[in-house]
Amino acid sequence: MALKIVKGSIDRMFDKNLQDLVRGIRNHKEDEAKYISTCIDEIKQELKQDNIAVKANAVCKLTYLQMLGYDVSWAAFNIVEVMSSSKFTYKRIGYLAASQCFHESTDVIMLTTNQIRKDLSSPNQYDTGVALTGLSCFVTPDLARDLANDIMTLMSHTKPYIRKKAVLIMYKVFLKYPESLRPAFPRLKEKLEDPDPGVQSAAVNVICELARRNPKNYLSLAPLFFKLMTSSTNNWVLIKIIKLFGALTPLEPRLCHSTSQMSFLFFLSPWLSPSSLSTSNSTSAMSLLYECVNTVILCVQKLRILIEDSDQNLKYLGLLAMSKILKTHPKSVQSHKDLILQCLDDKDESIRLRALDLLYGMVSKKNLMEIVKKLMLHVDKAEGTTYRDELLTKIIDICSQSNYQYITNFEWYISILVELTRLEGTRHGHLIASQMLDVAIRVKAIREFAVAQMATLLDNAHLLTGNTQRNGICEVLYAAAWICGEFSEHLENPMQTLEAMLRPKVATLPGHIQAVYVQNAAKLFATVLRSQEGNTDRTAAQETSQLMIDRLPLFVQSANLEVQERASCILQLVKYIQKLQQKDVEVAEEVNALFAGELNPVAPKAQKKVPVPEGLDLDAWINEPPSESESEDEKPRTMFTREETKHSRPRHTEVDEKELAKRREVRKQEQASNPFYIKSSPSSQKVYQEAPGVDHIPVVQIDLSVPLKVPGLPMSDQYVKLEEERRQKDRADKKKKEKKKRKEKGGRRGKRDSGPESEEDITPAHMVDIVTEEMPPTAICRSVSLVPPLNSPPCVPSTCQKSSKHKKKKQKKEKEEKDKKKKKKHHHHRHHSDGAGEESVQNGTVEEEEEPLPTISDAPTCSLASPPPFRQVCDIQGNLQDGSQVVVSLIFENKCDSFLKAMEFNVLDSLNSRLQRPDGAGPHDGLTVPFQLPPGVSNEARFVFTVKSIVMPQKLKGTLAFIVKNEDSSTHEKLDFKLHFTCTSYLITTPCYSDAFAKLLESGDLKASSVKLEGVVMPFPHLLARICFHHHFSVVERIDSCASMYSRSIQGHHVCLLVKTADQTVSIDAKCDEPSLLSNVLDEIKLTFSQC
Amino acid sequence: MHFLLLFSRQGRLRLQKWFTPTPEREKKKIIRDMTAMVLARKPKTCNFLHWMDLKVVYKRYASLFFCLAIDDQENELLALEILHRYVELLDKYFGNVCELDIIFNFEKAYFILDEFLIGGEVQETSKQTVARCIEASDMLQEVNVFNVLSTLACC
């Protein structure tokens, strides 16, 4: 008591202590800043005094002010002064201030090294402790280096209090100064068996953290940890150990068993005593339990119990753990769909968000509509915009995942998108817009519907722009305008849409949208003209032109250059058209020619597939590079040039690559703002960017408090109902058919009738033409490289291919559709194989084997045999989903003048490979090619082969029978060919990380082999590219003239290459778990290079 | 662990501890984000949030929010327990701790925290041991004060 009184009197001796400061701040709520600035002035005075007690008091106050957010870095030196006081009271305050205020760039830290060292070796353990604590906060690499030894000594201090601190600080030191790890590790390991539990747990902590960064080095400690785990009763330590084992198990499969056993024991124990579940939600038992859940994957069932728990925390963690399991075992999580959907209704946003994450993996064709319907309900109800935006992106993510795999009805999807546009103030307008564009371009069957919807949107544009000054729902109009313009032939009332697009209010939209409006108004104008010129009355057409001329000047005045430029161009054009119209000239056809052709999606990788024309070296300089800086010119000439040849070569290529990347970026941006460059991949969501200064464009606000219901727009719900009905009908139909079939076949049961619930049974409502990413590149590649007469010049195929080829495809599709209706069963098979093709790995152009046709002479000759009537190009791709399937795409080109039809494709099966024929077909029956070929036309067909062994290349003989139809006669023809299945065609380009690669090589399961190629003159990158392209490898790592490459076969064999080059000699060291596959692949690589 | 924040219902910061070096500007931003996020939560919701790539575990004790940011791989329930243990320690030291205790003795709150956690790791799981250490160093401090007194008396 007496002490307290005395202490109080001392406090009063100082001007103002911490308590006074805090009280003062609380009393000056109104003018806090002013009060504090006077306080700081006082503190500055105090710091100038010699009395260390006064200084310490000042520093203490500063620490408080620092927490309130005031800058106190100016007092850093004073803090060091207080730190070096010999009195523990002040030292403690000094170190506290330092740990709060110092950071790595504080320069006075350098001054502290010796002081800290002194404190560390102080006989008073609390001095040492305080120094260690402070050090943990502001340790720099320099300090770590200088003090590592001192701290290491402290790890063996007599006091456990110091030992445990030293062990923990050591971790910070390792991070800052990794060299210290090696000498300190034995001692750290020793501490695992320290008699003091605190020190032990500290050591476990540190090793666990270290092991998380690099598990490999800590495998040897596993037995020790196992002993600890069985003996320890401290839950905190146990959790860390389990975590450590979690990190170690991927490296050492033997551990897995014991870990899971142990964890499982822990895991079950709380459940064995049910009281612990109900009473304690924050005891260690529960957190330990959760740790076990993380380690042991087979707990989905148990997770359900967590999620069903009434405690929100457990529910959250259950969902979180479930999403971890979803990545590896989607099936087991899917069975809990009901529960997860239930969680979507939870009132806790954190839980709803976690449930949303899980939904992504839950959808299937069957339940997509149902789930999205539910999400849409949530969208309506959601209060916060962040959550609503999250919902919106999730809906789009879910629907568009893996190339719209789960969407069966695109009309429904478009309606969902349109419904989403009614959200007020969402940030994701551009996302919706890009989806609309993507779907409308890629799904041809939907265009008519989409155009109708977009026209309605345009008509009601004022509803969208009402309150969207900053939030870009008006981005949707970009998509709407473009779709209406591009596919204007589907418009029911183009005139009305044209008027909607030329309304004066459009001028309030952001510039990039206006630009699209103007451009597409022109397209619409062309369409309108055509329909109006068909009429006898010419005045209508002239009135349309007049409308354009009246309205366009508004855009000509636009501040946005793009809009202005387009508008004035088009205005002049229309004026000219009007002049012609007045002379009674028909112009519609010519105007339409401006926008002729159909826009087809092209995969972003298409350009890569176009081979570089011979003789064109893309890496060569077109002009000599300018000489380097002028100062270097002073050097002797000869030396300079010599140096140039030596050093600058590699640097040039590097610069070149950078430059290329830069240009690519620029080009991408350019494409992005141009509606004619539409990428087909759904990943490129941002089709265009916001134009600068959108915010400043004045937008007339219409106050609409009522949620928007745009008249004439359908509700997506009705599709859900329709879909239900359709599926039921489908099912009924199928049953009927199946019954019939069964009668015919006398009880022979197909594999497929496993019940109406199976996933495959849901046939899409539209036979939609989804151009997958894989398809166009190969298509283009072939048409450019192999089919000589092509309208478009070969340098532009990466943009948009407005070629005639597409129409043929469309015909084919249509035909297929008819086919499908005729024979359902047959269709089914084809659909399936189509799917397989889509899933197969891209980059599949293995070898383009042009069938030499000497065999044609063996075939019965006919009048038109002189130029071979056929040309086939084949492309063999492994199927990732099924290790025994290979998809062969064949392009048939009719090179004669006659019509070819009734083509039948047949292959003589070998023991190893056989053609997949529809159920019920005999083993020697041919497959009908699903199209006919008019003269000069080519088309593609796909056939699926089952392959047993993939280690050997193989050739299959086959025949193609067809009817040649002339004007007057028709003859049967036959063509023999060989299909060459190389071993590379079984390889799939699989990316591999270098650490995984190294692990693979170390595993010792692989057999080695090597090959040397002489006289290869191409640059190393080209060489690698060639191997990647022709043989489906991916580069793992490249160092100078040495590279490691990886690929995987469809049956999971790993193939690793180490490619080295030295003056024209390339040596390839290879490893694979299947020696004969390897030697065949190497032979093929050799062949590739011997041909070049 | 990355940082520990204590703030009041009004969003006033009461204590901050950073276990990883963080620039001053970023600290301010984090503090602003944290208070905004945590204070917006409704009662009876779970105690976990995702923020950037960190997990944030918070808990309200009386008028104070305790908010701890941990790595993605760390255990949330364990973090809750750490918070709880810290509150227990404060409670033991101050005897039925309240917000004012922490405001006026903020340095003590830091000292206790430093004995419990160090460099983002749990240093001592035993309540008794932590309490004993704090007591001992406080005693040392009192002795120091006593010494000062005696020197002053001499003057």
Side-chain angles (χ1 to χ4, degrees):
Chain A
M1 198 63 209
L3 190 71
K4 268 206 174 143
I5 295 167
V6 180
K7 192 180 158 209
S9 64
I10 292 177
D11 285 344
R12 245 169 277 127
M13 285 168 24
F14 306 134
D15 303 315
K16 193 185 275 171
N17 67 7
L18 177 69
Q19 271 74 19
D20 295 330
L21 175 77
V22 174
R23 219 165 276 136
I25 292 175
R26 288 169 75 83
N27 290 338
H28 289 79
K29 282 227 166 78
E30 286 79 38
D31 52 345
E32 191 186 293
K34 199 176 144 209
Y35 177 75
I36 285 177
S37 74
T38 56
C39 285
I40 288 183
D41 287 341
E42 279 170 26
I43 289 170
K44 278 182 180 161
Q45 286 306 315
E46 284 166 29
L47 287 175
K48 277 181 194 149
Q49 291 183 32
D50 276 338
N51 189 334
I52 190 72
V54 177
K55 265 189 192 165
N57 182 52
V59 165
C60 187
K61 287 193 278 185
L62 277 179
T63 316
Y64 187 78
L65 293 180
Q66 191 267 348
M67 186 176 72
L68 295 185
Y70 293 90
D71 175 40
V72 298
S73 54
W74 48 270
F77 186 75
N78 302 106
I79 292 175
V80 175
E81 277 182 316
V82 176
M83 268 165 79
S84 47
S85 153
S86 56
K87 303 275 187 302
F88 179 69
T89 322
Y90 309 134
K91 190 186 284 302
R92 203 182 190 189
I93 288 170
Y95 271 105
L96 173 65
S99 67
Q100 292 299 107
C101 312
F102 285 6
H103 43 86
E104 281 193 11
S105 52
T106 308
D107 37 11
V108 291
I109 283 190
M110 285 185 302
L111 306 175
T112 59
T113 317
N114 275 325
Q115 178 58 40
I116 294 174
R117 183 171 284 147
K118 212 173 103 197
D119 288 336
L120 288 181
S121 53
S122 153
N124 184 341
Q125 62 165 329
Y126 294 105
D127 279 352
T128 316
V130 121
L132 283 172
T133 312
L135 202 54
S136 78
C137 293
F138 55 78
V139 62
T140 61
D142 286 339
L143 277 180
R145 191 192 55 229
D146 295 341
L147 297 174
N149 245 327
D150 302 72
I151 300 173
M152 213 163 86
T153 327
L154 288 180
M155 279 165 75
S156 314
H157 199 269
T158 47
K159 299 268 177 20
Y161 176 77
I162 299 298
R163 285 207 301 274
K164 75 182 176 209
K165 275 185 197 271
V167 167
L168 286 169
I169 303 296
M170 217 48 208
Y171 176 62
K172 290 270 166 187
V173 173
F174 294 152
L175 291 185
K176 298 288 174 191
Y177 179 60
E179 285 89 338
S180 61
L181 179 56
R182 200 168 284 274
F185 192 69
R187 201 167 286 190
L188 184 60
K189 202 173 137 190
E190 233 168 66
K191 295 299 130 196
L192 282 178
E193 291 173 296
D194 197 278
D196 184 82
V199 181
Q200 210 179 41
S201 107
V204 170
N205 265 344
V206 170
I207 292 186
C208 181
E209 286 303 309
L210 288 171
R212 244 171 52 186
R213 283 161 195 264
N214 184 8
K216 212 166 51 188
N217 297 346
Y218 301 90
L219 261 182
S220 61
L221 292 181
L224 193 56
F225 275 110
F226 199 77
K227 207 175 94 195
L228 273 179
M229 182 158 81
T230 44
S231 59
S232 177
T233 49
N234 186 341
N235 274 334
W236 304 74
V237 175
L238 281 176
I239 288 176
K240 284 282 175 186
I241 296 179
I242 292 176
K243 206 165 231 115
L244 178 88
F245 274 111
L248 293 183
T249 37
L251 298 172
E252 179 55 89
R254 276 177 301 168
L255 266 181
C256 192
H257 183 64
S258 46
T259 318
S260 54
Q261 228 176 11
M262 280 317 292
S263 322
F264 210 72
L265 244 166
F266 287 123
F267 176 56
L268 284 180
S269 50
W271 261 293
L272 295 177
S273 54
S275 60
S276 63
L277 182 73
S278 50
T279 53
S280 59
N281 46 36
S282 65
T283 62
S284 262
M286 227 34 182
S287 49
L288 176 60
L289 175 74
Y290 175 60
E291 197 52 51
C292 301
V293 171
N294 268 341
T295 322
V296 190
I297 288 281
L298 41 104
C299 318
V300 192
Q301 281 302 330
K302 299 288 169 195
L303 279 180
R304 197 181 165 99
I305 302 177
L306 280 186
I307 299 175
E308 278 169 342
D309 199 282
S310 59
D311 183 10
Q312 295 290 80
N313 284 345
L314 296 185
K315 194 176 261 184
Y316 176 92
L317 294 175
L319 288 170
L320 195 65
M322 201 92 128
S323 67
K324 284 179 190 165
I325 295 177
L326 181 73
K327 283 174 204 146
T328 49
H329 297 77
K331 278 268 154 56
S332 49
V333 179
Q334 268 159 13
S335 54
H336 301 287
K337 203 186 83 198
D338 54 323
L339 193 63
I340 288 156
L341 284 177
Q342 212 176 305
C343 288
L344 276 182
D345 294 324
D346 202 285
K347 56 184 185 307
D348 189 341
E349 193 173 300
S350 287
I351 288 178
R352 286 198 306 252
L353 283 174
R354 291 286 83 76
L356 269 184
D357 284 347
L358 277 169
L359 265 190
Y360 189 78
M362 309 254 112
V363 287
S364 66
K365 277 185 184 157
K366 217 164 44 170
N367 63 18
L368 176 72
M369 282 186 169
E370 174 200 342
I371 287 180
V372 172
K373 184 180 165 193
K374 191 148 190 181
L375 291 182
M376 291 298 283
L377 280 179
H378 281 284
V379 171
D380 286 342
K381 277 191 290 184
E383 317 95 16
T385 41
T386 38
Y387 178 60
R388 210 176 48 183
D389 280 358
E390 185 68 24
L391 271 169
L392 192 153
T393 43
K394 271 280 142 42
I395 290 176
I396 289 180
D397 269 1
I398 287 173
C399 290
S400 63
Q401 69 173 313
S402 31
N403 255 324
Y404 307 102
Q405 190 190 348
Y406 299 118
I407 295 186
T408 50
N409 187 334
F410 278 87
E411 280 190 23
W412 164 81
Y413 187 43
I414 292 275
S415 338
I416 287 285
L417 289 176
V418 171
E419 265 175 49
L420 286 177
T421 61
R422 286 177 221 158
L423 289 186
E424 282 166 51
T426 175
R427 283 181 295 119
H428 294 296
H430 63 93
L431 199 63
I432 303 175
S434 71
Q435 284 289 303
M436 285 174 169
L437 286 171
D438 201 40
V439 171
I441 292 166
R442 293 170 62 185
V443 185
K444 292 204 186 62
I446 201 65
R447 283 183 189 164
E448 194 172 340
F449 179 79
V451 166
Q453 292 296 304
M454 295 304 125
T456 330
L457 268 187
L458 283 182
D459 226 17
N460 297 294
H462 56 282
L463 298 181
L464 292 179
T465 51
N467 29 21
T468 47
Q469 249 177 345
R470 280 181 304 123
N471 305 321
I473 199 67
C474 56
E475 293 288 335
V476 170
L477 293 176
Y478 179 105
W482 189 85
I483 291 171
C484 282
E486 182 64 24
F487 307 118
S488 52
E489 70 268 22
H490 298 299
L491 269 179
E492 225 166 74
N493 192 348
M495 193 60 206
Q496 187 189 344
T497 313
L498 181 62
E499 268 169 25
M501 278 167 85
L502 293 172
R503 278 181 203 145
K505 259 208 85 183
V506 172
T508 58
L509 289 173
H512 65 286
I513 299 181
Q514 280 186 59
V516 172
Y517 263 70
V518 171
Q519 186 75 19
N520 286 286
K523 292 184 199 167
L524 269 178
F525 173 63
T527 318
V528 172
L529 269 193
R530 178 154 58 185
S531 66
Q532 285 176 338
E533 277 193 1
N535 301 341
T536 43
D537 186 17
R538 288 288 161 83
T539 51
Q542 287 187 16
E543 272 166 20
T544 316
S545 309
Q546 193 54 49
L547 176 80
M548 291 288 278
I549 291 170
D550 289 345
R551 298 282 175 86
L552 278 174
L554 179 70
F555 297 102
V556 176
Q557 295 161 7
S558 168
N560 186 300
L561 285 181
E562 179 86 16
V563 180
Q564 203 185 87
E565 196 176 346
R566 289 188 192 201
S568 47
C569 265
I570 290 165
L571 182 60
Q572 288 312 313
L573 189 72
V574 177
K575 277 184 181 162
Y576 181 67
I577 290 169
Q578 196 185 31
K579 239 183 247 170
L580 289 175
Q581 278 175 335
Q582 280 157 0
K583 289 179 197 158
D584 263 1
V585 184
E586 295 220 352
V587 283
E589 277 314 309
E590 280 163 58
V591 177
N592 268 295
L594 280 175
F595 308 108
E598 195 177 359
L599 187 81
N600 291 321
V602 172
K605 287 176 184 153
Q607 176 76 56
K608 247 194 257 168
K609 296 271 175 169
V610 181
V612 179
E614 231 166 275
L616 174 64
D617 184 4
L618 288 175
D619 291 332
W621 284 91
I622 297 173
N623 298 313
E624 271 311 300
S627 64
E628 315 247 302
S629 68
E630 279 164 41
S631 59
E632 271 177 318
D633 277 348
E634 290 165 16
K635 287 180 190 168
R637 254 275 128 76
T638 48
M639 240 177 92
F640 177 66
T641 46
R642 197 172 291 158
E643 264 187 357
E644 174 98 338
T645 49
K646 253 189 200 166
H647 296 294
S648 54
R649 251 304 139 77
R651 210 191 312 161
H652 279 324
T653 53
E654 196 181 284
V655 166
D656 221 12
E657 269 164 22
K658 254 185 221 161
E659 181 69 12
L660 270 179
K662 211 161 127 200
R663 275 184 219 156
R664 207 173 296 141
E665 204 45 51
V666 170
R667 197 174 58 232
K668 256 187 215 156
Q669 281 184 352
E670 224 172 72
Q671 289 178 354
S673 55
N674 187 338
F676 285 99
Y677 291 85
I678 306 296
K679 291 168 206 151
S680 63
S681 111
S683 57
S684 55
Q685 302 285 27
K686 263 204 169 162
V687 171
Y688 42 82
Q689 332 140 274
E690 195 109 340
V694 173
D695 302 2
H696 311 297
I697 295 175
V699 176
V700 180
Q701 287 251 6
I702 294 180
D703 198 12
L704 266 181
S705 51
V706 195
L708 310 170
K709 274 250 157 70
V710 182
L713 291 182
M715 299 292 291
S716 59
D717 288 0
Q718 75 195 49
Y719 287 100
V720 181
K721 232 178 263 167
L722 277 177
E723 179 71 13
E724 248 344 280
E725 283 166 17
R726 194 181 63 82
R727 277 181 200 170
Q728 250 160 17
K729 215 175 122 215
D730 260 15
R731 252 174 251 160
D733 279 1
K734 214 162 276 170
K735 269 190 188 154
K736 252 188 236 163
K737 281 223 171 111
E738 250 153 38
K739 261 184 206 161
K740 257 189 211 165
K741 247 179 256 161
R742 249 176 253 162
K743 265 182 208 162
E744 284 165 15
K745 289 180 184 170
R748 191 164 23 138
R749 289 194 62 169
K751 255 187 192 170
R752 258 173 215 299
D753 44 8
S754 51
E757 288 301 313
S758 76
E759 184 79 345
E760 283 88 349
D761 277 347
I762 301 167
T763 48
H766 314 125
M767 192 59 205
V768 278
D769 185 12
I770 301 179
V771 185
T772 62
E773 265 189 66
E774 293 81 53
M775 296 267 297
T778 41
I780 283 173
C781 163
R782 287 175 203 127
S783 56
V784 172
S785 62
L786 299 167
V787 188
L790 190 83
N791 304 345
S792 53
C795 52
V796 292
S798 68
T799 57
C800 303
Q801 209 193 0
K802 297 200 175 191
S803 73
S804 60
K805 196 175 162 215
H806 210 94
K807 279 177 192 152
K808 301 296 177 307
K809 255 199 181 158
K810 208 169 172 184
Q811 281 173 2
K812 164 189 153 193
K813 274 282 136 95
E814 277 163 12
K815 199 172 165 286
E816 261 193 7
E817 235 171 310
K818 274 180 219 155
D819 262 0
K820 181 182 75 183
K821 277 172 201 154
K822 261 191 264 166
K823 21 180 177 170
K824 199 108 196 179
K825 176 116 194 193
H826 194 97
H827 153 75
H828 223 101
H829 175 77
R830 191 176 312 141
H831 177 69
H832 184 68
S833 68
D834 243 343
E838 277 166 22
E839 279 155 9
S840 70
V841 192
Q842 61 192 78
N843 258 345
T845 21
V846 180
E847 71 166 35
E848 285 152 357
E849 185 192 335
E850 223 174 289
E851 188 51 38
L853 287 165
T855 39
I856 196 80
S857 55
D858 298 342
T861 47
C862 63
S863 55
L864 42 94
S866 43
F870 248 125
R871 179 186 178 123
Q872 290 181 338
V873 181
C874 97
D875 166 32
I876 304 173
Q877 298 186 335
N879 187 341
L880 189 62
Q881 304 299 317
D882 188 340
S884 61
Q885 271 193 2
V886 171
V887 181
V888 178
S889 314
L890 280 165
I891 293 194
F892 300 98
E893 189 191 357
N894 184 355
K895 299 186 83 182
C896 67
D897 309 325
S898 316
F899 199 86
L900 304 182
K901 62 176 201 177
M903 289 185 281
E904 205 180 69
F905 175 89
N906 201 359
V907 170
L908 203 59
D909 290 348
S910 72
L911 273 177
N912 190 27
S913 331
R914 57 181 44 140
L915 178 63
Q916 265 198 7
R917 298 177 165 89
D919 296 345
H924 303 296
D925 293 353
L927 289 182
T928 325
V929 180
F931 48 80
Q932 306 178 334
L933 286 179
V937 168
S938 62
N939 205 341
E940 179 184 351
R942 286 164 167 243
F943 301 98
V944 181
F945 283 79
T946 329
V947 183
K948 273 207 191 109
S949 157
I950 60 161
V951 300
M952 298 282 274
Q954 206 174 12
K955 283 186 181 162
L956 285 187
K957 276 187 185 167
T959 42
L960 186 77
F962 50 92
I963 297 175
V964 182
K965 197 168 183 302
N966 269 338
E967 280 158 20
D968 40 345
S969 68
S970 61
T971 43
H972 267 279
E973 291 281 333
K974 228 175 99 187
L975 186 71
D976 292 327
F977 60 87
K978 274 183 191 162
L979 280 177
H980 191 177
F981 287 81
T982 54
C983 277
T984 14
S985 55
Y986 304 126
L987 295 185
I988 292 167
T989 318
T990 319
C992 183
Y993 294 109
S994 50
D995 44 349
F997 188 77
K999 225 176 280 164
L1000 192 66
L1001 284 183
E1002 277 168 16
S1003 69
D1005 307 333
L1006 308 182
K1007 312 277 182 304
S1009 174
S1010 66
V1011 68
K1012 257 203 171 72
L1013 309 169
E1014 305 279 352
V1016 179
V1017 283
M1018 64 177 75
F1020 192 56
H1022 286 203
L1023 181 116
L1024 292 184
R1026 217 179 177 98
I1027 298 179
C1028 289
F1029 181 75
H1030 289 288
H1031 298 284
H1032 305 189
F1033 278 87
S1034 61
V1035 178
V1036 178
E1037 213 170 8
R1038 190 192 142 193
I1039 302 156
D1040 300 330
S1041 62
C1042 181
S1044 48
M1045 307 179 89
Y1046 175 80
S1047 183
R1048 204 166 63 87
S1049 80
I1050 51 173
Q1051 293 182 357
H1053 305 295
H1054 304 283
V1055 188
C1056 310
L1057 298 185
L1058 186 66
V1059 185
K1060 285 181 215 159
T1061 178
D1063 29 278
Q1064 303 206 357
T1065 310
V1066 178
S1067 70
I1068 301 179
D1069 293 311
K1071 279 190 171 181
C1072 173
D1073 35 13
E1074 178 51 67
S1076 51
L1077 174 72
L1078 182 61
S1079 71
N1080 285 320
V1081 169
L1082 287 181
D1083 286 347
E1084 282 158 22
I1085 293 179
K1086 212 168 170 178
L1087 192 70
T1088 315
F1089 284 99
S1090 66
Q1091 280 169 349
C1092 67
Chain B
M1 277 174 258
H2 290 258
F3 56 84
L4 172 75
L5 300 178
L6 263 69
F7 46 84
S8 67
R9 242 179 338 174
Q10 290 78 35
R12 300 275 294 194
L13 196 65
R14 294 303 178 206
L15 187 140
Q16 56 170 339
K17 188 87 195 172
W18 304 83
F19 299 116
T20 43
T22 322
E24 217 44 58
R25 276 183 55 153
E26 203 175 314
K27 279 186 189 175
K28 284 200 176 135
K29 186 187 175 308
I30 291 175
I31 292 169
R32 213 172 40 238
D33 281 8
M34 284 302 132
T35 45
M37 258 169 61
V38 171
L39 292 177
R41 301 277 297 174
K42 289 185 191 126
K44 286 203 180 160
T45 52
C46 70
N47 300 73
F48 314 125
L49 289 169
H50 262 231
W51 183 81
M52 313 290 270
D53 53 346
L54 297 181
K55 290 177 186 166
V56 176
V57 177
Y58 73 93
K59 191 154 171 121
R60 184 178 161 179
Y61 289 92
S63 58
L64 267 187
F65 282 92
F66 288 66
C67 172
L68 182 64
I70 53 174
D71 252 337
D72 194 39
Q73 292 166 3
E74 278 179 84
N75 190 322
E76 293 93 336
L77 288 175
L78 197 63
L80 263 188
E81 260 160 58
I82 289 171
L83 290 181
H84 189 71
R85 181 58 59 92
Y86 182 46
V87 174
E88 280 177 343
L89 287 170
L90 289 174
D91 210 42
K92 190 161 182 162
Y93 183 81
F94 291 108
N96 207 358
V97 66
C98 68
E99 193 182 339
L100 284 178
D101 285 327
I102 296 174
I103 297 173
F104 283 106
N105 297 292
F106 89 109
E107 83 278 21
K108 297 279 189 231
Y110 275 117
F111 293 148
I112 296 170
L113 185 63
D114 284 339
E115 289 301 327
F116 176 45
L117 304 175
I118 194 165
E121 296 291 336
V122 177
Q123 178 188 179
E124 182 53 69
T125 53
S126 151
K127 267 182 276 186
Q128 280 81 14
T129 318
V130 176
R132 223 172 26 237
C133 293
I134 294 289
E135 220 169 285
S137 32
D138 275 354
M139 273 314 289
L140 201 60
Q141 192 166 342
E142 302 293 296
V143 172
N144 265 330
V145 171
F146 196 75
N147 286 347
V148 172
L149 249 180
S150 46
T151 45
L152 281 175
C154 291
C155 292

